Each structure stands twice: as structure tokens, then as C-alpha cells.
Amino acid sequence: MYGTRKKHWKGLLSCLLVFVMALAVFPVMASAEETTVDTWDGTADTTWYNDTDTEFRITTAEQLAGLAAIVNDGNTMEGKTILLENDLDLAGSEWTSIGNGNNVVRYFGGVFDGQGYDVYNLTSLESSTYYHGLFGVLSQNGTVQNLNVIDANIKATDSSLRVGILADWTNNAKVINCYTSGQVESNGGAKLIGGLVGQCTGGTQFIGCASSASVTSTKEDPESDTVGGLFGQWENATADALITDCWFDGKINCEYDDAAVGGILGANFDFDVDQPGVTIQNCFVATTDITCVQPGNITWIAAIVNSSVTNCYWPVDESLEEQYIAVAKLVVDWSQGTASADPNFDESVCGEAVTDFGTQEFLNQLQENAYDGVQWRIGLQHPTFQWDGYNLSADYSEVDQALVTIPDDLTLYTEESVAALNEAVAMIDRNINQVNQSEVDAMARAIEDAVAALQYKEADYQAVDAAIDKAEALNPEDYQDFSQVEAAIAAVERGLDITHQSEVDAMAQAIEAAIAALEEHPVAEEPSPATGESSDMAFWLSMMVAAGALLVGALAYGKKREQNS
């Protein structure tokens, strides 16, 4: 596939030769016009530094800006260790890179240990900027480790040669356990651009590094860029040059016909044909979002001359009619200024294509070939490092525990409270990383609160009401004792929930039982007509006798008074 594109690589190589020759004599120095003025929003604090101590701890963005001021003033920090002890937010203000010279002056040559902290919102947009990354130049054993540069925003429109988020240029340096995200763009042409570092030279080593950045090369100049997900271009590699246990899962877009585009490394060219090239091992590209005007100049891993690529992995993009080359082995004619792919090169010696990066099998492969000290873990979308909180899953144990507390039968609860619980459950997102653990903890709290707020439905009192209606339709005077029905009705307790349904049903049954036990008053027998008449006669006769007796008594009393008078 590459063999038919000789003209593209010829244009690319012509551009690259200019870079290589320039580097051979170290003439690259930022002029006064190229060196940006520190426009950091706030002061650059250098008061924390002294020449006597060998270890310094910084906690503010002003102190970080002060480090840039010290290095850019000529202090390489050789023999000094800088420990970052806080997350820093550069707030989108224009950043001045740490190191604005080359690999012999004004570079960072000490140790910068981020200790796992983050630098947010690194921004470099001014057209006069010559260096753009957090570090402009790392050289002469300069080391950066355990650092995340998050949500960077870099756009290089100037005449600079290289652009990267962590660093623009690394020479005989070392970068360990570093991660970048955000976007880096070149629209000035003739640049080496990478999501981690723009240009690497000499025996620089990268161990356990990664990027999820968006890397864009916009065609605004006839001279094309060299573009890599992690590294733009590597030149003049020595036997120590190393890229091991690194990954890229961001995005690359290049508008140049002659550009080399690689998921890990855009291209590796060495000015001396006898130089070994960089060793690339145990790395992978998990994204398929890599495009170029000339798709044939894309490699999943890298385009190399003498480099060694082993145990590397790349994706299968089923949307492509023809898969990208994983590794292009370049045949260079320095006298003619041409480069073309060796059609006989077997890329299978470099690794293999992977259809699923999330398997345990793939993780095991990485760990079996891991560099000393590198620990791979299952990540959100693919394996990553044990320290990588941005790509390792948050702890969902509390969410899972909260889910266990949800009752099995939700039909017992009101529709409103169940709807609130379902909403809390629906908000669970299993793709949250460790950095945002608080969001996952909030999910667990929301479920717990919704469970606690569940409200039982009211018990069904229909049978009770029907029994009461039945009792109220009766006339208590018709019964010998209606008190048991009245007592059963009085015993009804309203407002019980559905968990007390059996009690409510018992209330209805008690009323029904009391009604069923009612006894009516006995009905009196009516007398026969004959018996009635006789009784009446006897009554009147007795009354007449009594009246006569009273009359006789009265007459006798009157007579006696007459005699006495």
C-alpha cells in the first residue's frame, strides 16, 4: 500500500531532512520575538526557590509559573527536584512553557514529580508563542513523572517546529507515568505535533504514558506536519531511546497529503543511517478515530526506518474498506530525498490487531510484556495503569449495596415514590472514572434516600365500608342486642397501609360476623275473640262491685256524723 505513494513520502522526507539537519548543529534558539511574555493571570512567584536546597515543594499556579521564569532565565534545575503538592488550574490564561531554549540552554534538566496531581486548563493560543506545552524543552536527563495535564487547549499558528501538551521537545530525557487530555492543533504547517510530545530526540524514554487528546493538523501552509497521537516525530535516536507501555485513545485529523500520521508515533527518521531508531514495545492504540486526506499515510502505530516495534496492538476498523497499515517500514534514499514503504515488511512481527480491548486476555498480554514496575489494570474502555484515575472505573460498591436494599415487590408502594426510586436507579452511570468518585457516591446516596422515602399504598377498606353500609341499613330496635355490631364498627381503625391489609380484612369480617349473630325480638301471640269477651265482662263486673262498696261506705259515714252532731 505504501509502495504506491512514493510522492507523498518524498515530500514528507524533504521537510523532515530540514528538521534533522537543523538539529544536528543545535541552532534552535527562541529569539526575543519568539519568546512569549509571561501573561499568566497573576504573578510568577519565585520566592520559594534558592540555590542551596535540592528539593522544593510547590502548591500554587504562581509557583509553577515561577518555575518557568527561573528555567527560562537560564537555570536548568540540574540536581533539583520539584514536588507538586496540589492540583493546579491555569484558568485558561496564556501559559509560558517551562524551558524556552533548546537542548543546550534554557531547558528543564531537573526532576519534576507531579505525585499524581493534575494541572488543568493549560492554554497556549497566541501566535507569537514558540513553545506551547507545559514544558517547552526537557533535556539532559530532565525528568517529568506522575503528572496529568488535563483539558489543555493549544493552537500553534507560529513558526515553531514542534507542539505537544506535556512538552514540545524532549532530548535525552525521561517521562514516566504521565497522561494528557484536551486538544492540540497546528495550522501553521511544518510542525511536529503530538498529544503528549511534539518532538523526541536522542535517548529519551517514555514509560507508562498515555493521551486521550484530540490532535489536529490543519492545512494552512504548503509544508506538511508530522502527526502522532502521542509523539509527532523521533529523530537521531540512540540505543536508549524507548517508548514502552503507552497507549492512545484520542482523535487525530490531518489535512495534509504528505503528512505522516501515526497512532503512537508519526515517524522516526535518523540523520545517521547507522542509528538504531527508537524501540517501541507493549503499546496500543484503542481509537479508530484517525483520519487524513491521504489515508495511505496513516499507520496505527508508527512509520519507522530502523526502529524496533514489538508486542504492540491496534484496532480493527470495520468501517474501512482497506485497513490502515499498523507499522510502515520505510526505505529511505537520502541522496534522492525519498522514502517509501518496504512491501516485503511483515507487520505481524510488531504485534496484532485487537477487536476487543476490554478482555482479561488482552490485559494479561500487556502485563506479561510489561516494563519493570508497570502495573496494568482493567479500565473503563481498555486497560490502563494502576495510577490512572481518569481511565480506571470509580468504586461502585456503595451503589451496588444500595441497589440490594430495594424491596423485591414495589407494587406495595405509591406510584410517586416508586417513580422517584426508578429515576435514581436510571441515573446510574457505570462509566465514571475514579477522579469523579464523588458523582458515584452521590448516586448511591440518591438510591438510599429514594428507598427510605418509599411510601406504602393505603390498605383497601372496600370490604369494611361495604360491611358498615350493610349494618347501617338495619334497625337496631328490631334486635334483642345490637351492641356487638356497634362495637365492631367502632373498632375500625382508619389510615392503615397495605402491610396491615389482613388486619383491615379482619375488621370487615368482625362486622359481618356481628351482623350474622343478631337476634330479633320474639313476636307476642294475639288472644282469641271468645276469651277476650269473657275477660272484659269480668272486668266490668268487678268494677261495679267496687263502686257499690264505695257508695255503701259513704252513706254509712254520713249517717254517723249526723248522729254525733
Side-chain angles (χ1 to χ4, degrees):
M1 185 166 67
Y2 266 77
T4 61
R5 305 186 197 98
K6 185 174 181 180
K7 64 177 182 179
H8 301 303
W9 285 102
K10 180 178 180 179
L12 169 66
L13 187 56
S14 298
C15 178
L16 296 174
L17 283 171
V18 174
F19 294 159
V20 173
M21 291 177 181
L23 289 169
V25 292
F26 306 119
V28 182
M29 294 189 63
S31 65
E33 292 73 27
E34 292 170 331
T35 303
T36 58
V37 176
D38 182 6
T39 58
W40 170 249
D41 186 14
T43 60
D45 178 10
T46 61
T47 59
W48 52 270
Y49 180 75
N50 62 74
D51 289 331
T52 304
D53 294 337
T54 59
E55 184 175 282
F56 303 91
R57 300 174 185 274
I58 63 175
T59 58
T60 70
E62 288 78 11
Q63 291 172 331
L64 187 66
L67 176 62
I70 294 169
V71 173
N72 295 345
D73 194 40
N75 187 338
T76 66
M77 291 289 172
E78 181 180 358
K80 309 290 187 180
T81 296
I82 313 299
L83 300 172
L84 180 62
E85 296 196 328
N86 195 33
D87 292 336
L88 304 181
D89 187 352
L90 301 184
S93 299
E94 190 73 14
W95 177 248
T96 298
S97 299
I98 302 169
N100 64 359
N102 52 40
N103 58 3
V104 291
V105 295
R106 301 200 313 279
Y107 59 83
F108 182 79
V111 174
F112 187 96
D113 191 343
Q115 300 193 104
Y117 288 108
D118 304 332
V119 174
Y120 298 101
N121 300 313
L122 167 70
T123 300
S124 179
L125 302 176
E126 292 190 0
S127 59
S128 61
T129 301
Y130 192 78
Y131 287 102
H132 307 269
L134 182 66
F135 291 85
V137 186
L138 290 174
S139 189
Q140 310 306 330
N141 298 315
T143 299
V144 178
Q145 60 193 26
N146 308 318
L147 179 66
N148 303 308
V149 183
I150 306 301
D151 293 334
N153 184 16
I154 297 175
K155 188 173 184 179
T157 62
D158 50 46
S159 60
S160 58
L161 296 180
R162 71 283 288 177
V163 188
I165 293 176
L166 181 72
D168 296 303
W169 182 11
T170 60
N171 174 72
N172 292 325
K174 183 171 287 189
V175 179
I176 306 170
N177 298 346
C178 290
Y179 171 74
T180 64
S181 69
Q183 58 185 2
V184 55
E185 177 181 349
S186 166
N187 67 356
K191 288 182 176 56
L192 312 177
I193 176 172
L196 193 72
V197 175
Q199 181 186 35
C200 311
T201 56
T204 297
Q205 295 186 342
F206 294 91
I207 303 169
C209 295
S211 179
S212 300
S214 176
V215 185
T216 303
S217 173
T218 304
K219 188 174 183 179
E220 296 288 343
D221 188 276
E223 293 189 56
S224 63
D225 295 335
T226 303
V227 185
L230 295 182
F231 316 104
Q233 184 165 302
W234 202 299
E235 300 170 8
N236 299 331
T238 64
D240 295 331
L242 177 66
I243 302 171
T244 185
D245 295 82
C246 296
W247 59 258
F248 175 70
D249 70 354
K251 176 181 179 180
I252 302 175
N253 180 51
C254 179
E255 296 182 358
Y256 285 98
D257 293 328
D258 295 333
V261 178
I264 297 295
L265 170 64
N268 175 205
F269 284 89
D270 296 307
F271 187 71
D272 185 342
V273 296
D274 294 327
Q275 288 180 286
V278 59
T279 295
I280 306 174
Q281 62 189 31
N282 213 42
C283 298
F284 69 87
V285 173
T287 181
T288 59
D289 197 353
I290 300 178
T291 57
C292 182
V293 171
Q294 178 50 263
N297 281 355
I298 295 175
T299 56
W300 289 123
I301 303 298
I304 61 174
V305 178
N306 295 322
S307 299
S308 169
V309 180
T310 57
N311 297 319
C312 288
Y313 309 92
W314 52 89
V316 176
D317 189 348
E318 296 180 352
S319 68
L320 297 175
E321 294 183 4
E322 188 174 0
Q323 293 294 307
Y324 298 152
I325 287 177
V327 178
K329 182 73 171 179
L330 299 179
V331 178
V332 179
D333 185 336
W334 294 98
S335 63
Q336 297 296 318
T338 61
S340 59
D342 181 354
N344 298 316
F345 179 69
D346 181 6
E347 66 180 23
S348 67
V349 301
C350 301
E352 61 184 281
V354 175
T355 56
D356 185 356
F357 288 91
T359 66
Q360 184 66 42
E361 179 183 1
F362 180 55
L363 176 69
N364 293 342
Q365 284 180 275
L366 290 171
Q367 196 57 57
E368 287 173 5
N369 298 300
Y371 195 80
D372 186 33
V374 175
Q375 294 293 322
W376 290 94
R377 295 287 184 269
I378 289 289
L380 288 170
Q381 305 298 329
H382 53 71
T384 190
F385 315 109
Q386 63 177 355
W387 52 263
D388 181 14
Y390 282 94
N391 295 283
L392 288 174
S393 175
D395 182 359
Y396 283 80
S397 60
E398 291 190 10
V399 170
D400 294 333
Q401 290 172 9
L403 290 173
V404 171
T405 66
I406 297 176
D408 293 332
D409 186 3
L410 292 177
T411 63
L412 301 176
Y413 302 92
T414 63
E415 293 182 3
E416 294 79 5
S417 63
V418 171
L421 173 59
N422 289 337
E423 183 178 356
V425 172
M427 292 300 291
I428 296 175
D429 182 353
R430 295 280 179 176
N431 294 309
I432 303 298
N433 60 27
Q434 289 182 355
V435 172
N436 296 303
Q437 180 67 47
S438 61
E439 296 180 18
V440 177
D441 295 340
M443 295 174 200
R445 299 294 86 77
I447 296 171
E448 292 170 352
D449 292 345
V451 170
L454 282 173
Q455 293 183 351
Y456 286 114
K457 294 177 180 177
E458 291 185 359
D460 184 355
Y461 280 81
Q462 292 185 66
V464 170
D465 294 335
I468 292 175
D469 290 343
K470 185 176 179 180
E472 290 178 344
L474 302 175
N475 183 357
E477 298 298 326
D478 293 341
Y479 303 93
Q480 295 183 29
D481 185 2
F482 203 76
S483 64
Q484 294 302 313
V485 175
E486 294 172 338
I489 293 174
V492 171
E493 181 182 354
R494 296 285 178 174
L496 296 181
D497 62 50
I498 197 169
T499 63
H500 298 278
Q501 186 64 51
S502 61
E503 298 173 32
V504 175
D505 294 340
M507 298 173 197
Q509 294 167 5
I511 298 171
E512 292 285 0
I515 292 174
L518 288 172
E519 293 184 6
E520 296 181 351
H521 288 296
V523 179
E525 296 183 5
E526 295 188 6
S528 64
T531 302
E533 291 176 357
S534 176
S535 298
D536 290 341
M537 183 67 72
F539 174 75
W540 289 112
L541 287 174
S542 63
M543 291 297 291
M544 291 176 67
V545 171
L550 288 172
L551 180 59
V552 171
L555 290 174
Y557 178 78
K559 184 179 230 186
K560 186 176 182 178
R561 289 192 62 182
E562 222 177 271
Q563 292 174 353
N564 292 333
S565 62

